[in-house]
Amino acid sequence: MIKNKHTLQASFRAAWWLKNQHLQTLYPVIFPFNKKIVLKRETIILADGDFIEVDWTANKSDDKPLILLLHGLEGSSKSSYIKRTMYEVFKNGFRAVCMNFRGCSGRQNKSKRAYHAGETEDLNFYINYLLQNEKIKSPIFIVGFSLGGNVLLKWLSENSNNIFISGAIAISVPFELEILANKMNRGFSKFYQWWLLKSLKNNLLKNDRYKDFNLSKEEIILVKTFWEFDDKITARIHGFLNAIDYYKKSSSRQYLSQIAHKTLIIHSKDDPFMSELCIPQDNELSKTTQLELTEQGGHVGFISGNYPFIPMYWLEKRIINFCFNLI
């Protein structure tokens, strides 16, 4: 039983038929959420003239508590975990909006820059946009998944004086990007690396902007690891010296002690995207941050249930419960 000052054992118990870390991770992808949810899209023009697109639940105009969702690497509002969460949020009387990172909404962006694990400017812009243009007076919560969770934790550390955010939840966060890059290049985790890199490279090749950074089509196609992609592409596009510089400056673990908002972090020890070495220690967490660890759950999985192929999604209920307790 884990019970330190800020670190607890979560109540989650994996389904007996999904005990394996990869089954927990892949089941929601192979059998995606299929309940219908109506979303309303909005285009937000950013300070540099580029745009992001956000998707609201149908009750956008209501004056109900709002949950802002941040997806993971190459995700979007169409990702199964986002759709499940938005459905649960709507069902429980909240509003939800998913901020699609640049290039993730299905439309190609105008600028050379994209998004990455440490990029918090677009999130900060959108939060200020919500406060100024939507004039939201109800509680605002932010939930980040995987890469989105890393972005969220870094943003929280940079905006400790923001009084408009009632709470935050970060799930399956890559606290140490270098550890993640190494883990994803070993064993079955290479499959996840291949799948995500395939999407990253395809999106990059859809337009000619990569040529502005002296990148060739052949050079992009030949990239086989996250290390290569982040060294040759992410770092070059976003002004980092190299992959190490990007990982060092963007990893959220170093920022956890600076978080002032009520924050819940949910993480599984068997996450196939990273090793247990990246899990922060109790003394690294701020006094307002709680880390809930599970023995099983995979990466953004956390599926329970007694009957095969009748999953019980624990994560979405935990998110709602956390938000309800802060209202």
Side-chain angles (χ1 to χ4, degrees):
M1 173 66 71
I2 300 171
K3 195 170 183 180
N4 296 322
K5 189 175 181 180
H6 301 292
T7 305
L8 301 172
Q9 185 81 44
S11 61
F12 169 76
R13 295 295 179 271
W16 63 266
W17 48 281
L18 287 176
K19 288 285 188 180
N20 181 277
Q21 59 187 324
H22 302 298
L23 292 177
Q24 281 280 329
T25 303
L26 293 172
Y27 184 89
V29 179
I30 298 171
F31 301 99
F33 186 74
N34 58 11
K35 290 185 179 179
K36 186 176 181 180
I37 178 168
V38 178
L39 299 179
K40 298 181 178 179
R41 174 152 291 188
E42 180 183 9
T43 300
I44 309 297
I45 304 302
L46 302 167
D48 64 355
D50 205 355
F51 68 91
I52 55 171
E53 292 184 304
V54 302
D55 291 302
W56 289 82
T57 46
N59 58 346
K60 174 188 174 183
S61 58
D62 294 345
D63 191 22
K64 295 180 177 180
L66 175 65
I67 300 182
L68 168 59
L69 303 177
L70 308 175
H71 59 78
L73 183 65
E74 291 301 278
S76 71
S77 61
K78 294 182 179 180
S79 298
S80 186
Y81 56 88
I82 294 290
K83 291 197 289 186
R84 290 198 314 268
T85 305
M86 296 187 96
Y87 180 85
E88 196 71 23
V89 166
F90 183 79
K91 188 175 75 173
N92 282 274
F94 291 79
R95 292 179 292 166
V97 60
C98 176
M99 186 186 112
N100 296 291
F101 292 122
R102 295 195 195 206
C104 293
S105 64
R107 289 174 60 199
Q108 287 297 310
N109 284 81
K110 301 175 182 178
S111 70
K112 298 175 183 178
R113 60 181 286 191
Y115 72 101
H116 61 78
E119 204 291 300
T120 57
E121 290 181 24
D122 288 353
L123 173 58
N124 193 60
F125 182 94
Y126 184 57
I127 290 172
N128 288 324
Y129 175 91
L130 282 172
L131 297 172
Q132 294 169 15
N133 295 72
E134 300 291 341
K135 301 188 183 339
I136 293 175
K137 297 179 181 178
S138 58
I140 301 175
F141 302 93
I142 313 177
V143 180
F145 299 84
S146 194
L147 175 142
N150 193 85
V151 171
L152 170 58
L153 294 175
K154 185 171 179 286
W155 180 88
L156 289 169
S157 74
E158 297 166 349
N159 293 272
S160 58
N161 295 324
N162 188 309
I163 63 173
F164 301 101
I165 304 302
S166 298
I169 307 173
I171 298 136
S172 299
V173 177
F175 302 102
E176 298 245 25
L177 297 171
E178 183 174 344
I179 293 177
L180 177 142
N182 289 332
K183 177 65 183 292
M184 295 289 270
N185 202 33
R186 296 198 297 267
F188 187 81
S189 294
K190 283 185 176 181
F191 168 78
Y192 304 114
Q193 177 176 248
W194 168 80
W195 183 260
L196 290 167
L197 281 175
K198 178 183 177 183
S199 179
L200 283 165
K201 292 191 291 184
N202 285 342
N203 284 333
L204 190 62
L205 291 170
K206 282 180 182 178
N207 57 64
D208 294 331
R209 285 177 292 164
Y210 62 87
K211 296 178 181 177
D212 295 334
F213 300 94
N214 296 319
L215 288 165
S216 67
K217 181 178 180 180
E218 292 72 23
E219 188 177 11
I220 294 170
I221 291 173
L222 289 172
V223 167
K224 301 297 182 185
T225 68
F226 277 125
W227 270 104
E228 290 179 83
F229 187 89
D230 291 330
D231 198 59
K232 295 178 179 179
I233 299 168
T234 306
R236 198 177 301 183
I237 290 176
H238 296 101
F240 296 101
L241 296 176
N242 46 39
I244 293 175
D245 186 46
Y246 163 54
Y247 295 155
K248 182 178 179 180
K249 292 176 179 175
S250 300
S251 296
S252 61
R253 184 172 181 173
Q254 63 193 307
Y255 302 115
L256 298 177
S257 64
Q258 301 165 36
I259 294 174
H261 296 84
K262 289 285 185 181
T263 301
L264 172 65
I265 300 174
I266 299 172
H267 194 83
S268 175
K269 290 183 179 179
D270 73 348
D271 191 318
F273 281 38
M274 58 205 94
S275 76
E276 289 189 43
L277 292 173
C278 75
I279 300 175
Q281 299 298 307
D282 198 67
N283 59 8
E284 296 177 73
L285 304 173
S286 75
K287 62 182 181 180
T288 61
T289 302
Q290 178 177 309
L291 171 61
E292 289 189 357
L293 290 175
T294 66
E295 295 296 325
Q296 298 168 314
H299 189 75
V300 196
F302 304 101
I303 304 167
S304 59
N306 294 325
Y307 304 102
F309 300 103
I310 305 179
M312 301 289 290
Y313 290 102
W314 172 87
L315 184 60
E316 291 73 29
K317 290 177 171 52
R318 182 67 187 98
I319 290 169
I320 294 297
N321 179 261
F322 177 81
C323 295
F324 264 129
N325 288 335
L326 292 180
I327 295 176

